[in-house]
């Protein structure tokens, strides 16, 4: 019993010493495998903490991330050569690569994407904790604003004539900002042009890349343009819809302003 008590005492003292001396310091060689974790690292990590972002952030560039961030090529060989002390990835990205890294003893943290607005707080604080950053750096959710009823109907229109309905993060964003979703169905719905013209929404939010492509033909249809005047076509930065995160609150604030 005495020896067991001594071992426990030594363990507690060692644990205290480790905390006091910073033995468990924040990671300094972080690698990202996912576009969303790229963005979170670019927002919150110190540049010196990051060994490389994924090649996805070059394929889908955003203006606020400069070209000074290093990029890996996605191969196991290069990732091992970087000697990361933390690899961050989304839950659906690079499962085989993650498994190989884990087998080699590399620390891999998988971050599930938020499925609701409430999840954003948990997601953000987990990233900050992994980086050794305080919760005080977390973003601030916009205050709720009461709007008179009935709520105006907003159609969230994506590429290929697909609208976003109930049971989605996008729906939560619209409702939180004081709008009603024009799409009554669940999930992502193929829209009917005749129905939209017959019962036109109060506004359309065009949430798609700005490049001219076949996927944009539905939104450019002249009948749709006549049914909904140009002043009621709203646009936001497309990238903000790709990965839920602290920038989601900026979307809500912008939609609140339009609603007002």
């Amino acid at each position: 019993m005495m020896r067991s008590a001594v071992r426990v005492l030594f363990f507690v003292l060692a644990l205290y010493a480790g905390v006091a001396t910073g033995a468990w310091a924040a990671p300094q060689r972080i690698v990202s495998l996912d576009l969303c974790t790229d963005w979170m690292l670019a927002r919150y990590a110190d540049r010196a903490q990051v060994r490389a972002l994924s090649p996805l952030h070059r394929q889908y560039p955003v203006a606020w991330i400069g070209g000074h961030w290093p990029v890996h090529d996605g191969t196991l060989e290069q990732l091992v050569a970087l000697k990361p002390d933390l690899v961050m990835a989304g839950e659906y990205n690079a499962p085989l690569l993650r498994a190989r890294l884990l087998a080699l003893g590399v620390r891999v943290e998988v971050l599930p994407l938020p499925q609701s607005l409430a999840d954003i707080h948990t997601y953000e604080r987990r990233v900050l904790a992994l980086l050794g950053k305080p919760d005080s750096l977390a973003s601030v959710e916009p205050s709720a604003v009461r709007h008179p009823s009935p709520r105006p109907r907003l159609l969230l229109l994506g590429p290929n004539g697909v609208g976003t309905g109930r049971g989605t993060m996008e729906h939560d964003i619209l409702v939180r900002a004081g709008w009603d979703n024009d799409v009554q169905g669940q999930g992502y719905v193929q829209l009917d042009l005749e129905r939209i013209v017959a019962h036109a929404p109060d506004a359309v939010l065009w949430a798609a890349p700005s490049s001219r492509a076949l996927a944009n033909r539905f939104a450019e249809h002249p009948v749709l343009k006549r049914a909904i005047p140009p002043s009621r076509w709203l646009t936001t930065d497309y990238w903000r819809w790709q990965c839920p995160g602290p920038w989601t609150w900026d979307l809500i604030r912008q939609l609140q302003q339009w609603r007002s």
Side-chain angles (χ1 to χ4, degrees):
M1 290 292 293
M2 181 64 69
R3 289 181 180 178
S4 298
V6 170
R7 281 198 295 268
V8 170
L9 178 61
F10 273 116
F11 174 79
V12 172
L13 291 174
L15 180 64
Y16 174 80
V19 173
T21 59
W24 289 278
Q28 298 299 314
R29 301 186 305 278
I30 307 173
V31 170
S32 169
L33 302 182
D34 183 82
L35 181 65
C36 299
T37 49
D38 288 342
W39 292 355
M40 293 298 284
L41 285 175
R43 183 179 177 100
Y44 286 123
D46 298 331
R47 171 61 188 81
Q49 285 183 283
V50 180
R51 278 292 173 91
L53 301 180
S54 82
L56 292 171
H57 102 275
R58 292 281 175 86
Q59 296 177 35
Y60 303 96
V62 290
W64 58 277
I65 300 181
H68 62 285
W69 291 89
V71 181
H72 62 79
D73 61 8
T75 64
L76 179 66
E77 292 76 14
Q78 188 179 58
L79 291 172
V80 172
L82 290 172
K83 299 180 179 179
D85 55 5
L86 173 62
V87 173
M88 295 172 59
E91 59 185 317
Y92 304 114
N93 189 268
L96 295 178
L97 185 56
R98 283 164 20 206
R100 294 289 300 278
L101 290 168
L102 285 169
L104 294 172
V106 178
R107 180 189 178 192
V108 178
E109 292 288 344
V110 179
L111 302 174
L113 273 180
Q115 300 300 312
S116 68
L117 293 177
D119 291 345
I120 292 176
H121 297 294
T122 303
Y123 176 69
E124 192 175 12
R125 282 169 172 75
R126 185 179 177 196
V127 171
L128 288 169
L130 290 172
L131 299 178
K133 304 286 185 177
D135 282 355
S136 59
L137 295 178
S139 59
V140 178
E141 183 175 353
S143 302
V145 178
R146 288 190 175 185
H147 296 285
S149 296
R151 292 184 171 212
R153 292 179 294 109
L154 180 62
L155 169 63
L156 182 57
L157 176 59
N160 296 309
V162 173
T164 304
R166 269 67 174 166
T168 63
M169 172 71 81
E170 293 92 334
H171 171 81
D172 292 347
I173 291 172
L174 301 188
V175 173
R176 179 70 170 73
W179 297 81
D180 189 19
N181 194 342
D182 184 65
V183 178
Q184 300 297 311
Q186 292 289 316
Y188 301 96
V189 178
Q190 187 65 49
L191 297 173
D192 180 79
L193 186 61
E194 292 183 1
R195 193 208 68 81
I196 296 176
V197 172
H199 191 51
D202 296 295
V204 173
L205 179 58
W206 175 229
S210 58
S211 60
R212 296 192 62 83
L214 292 176
N216 296 351
R217 288 283 181 86
F218 185 95
E220 295 169 352
H221 199 287
V223 173
L224 193 61
K225 294 291 187 180
R226 286 197 297 270
I228 306 166
S231 61
R232 289 198 251 155
W233 283 77
L234 314 176
T235 58
T236 62
D237 293 327
Y238 176 63
W239 68 268
R240 296 182 193 275
W241 298 94
Q242 291 179 278
C243 296
W247 38 81
T248 301
W249 309 130
D250 297 329
L251 274 178
I252 291 176
R253 291 185 184 95
Q254 190 174 16
L255 289 168
Q256 284 177 334
Q257 291 176 353
W258 284 329
R259 170 67 174 83
S260 298

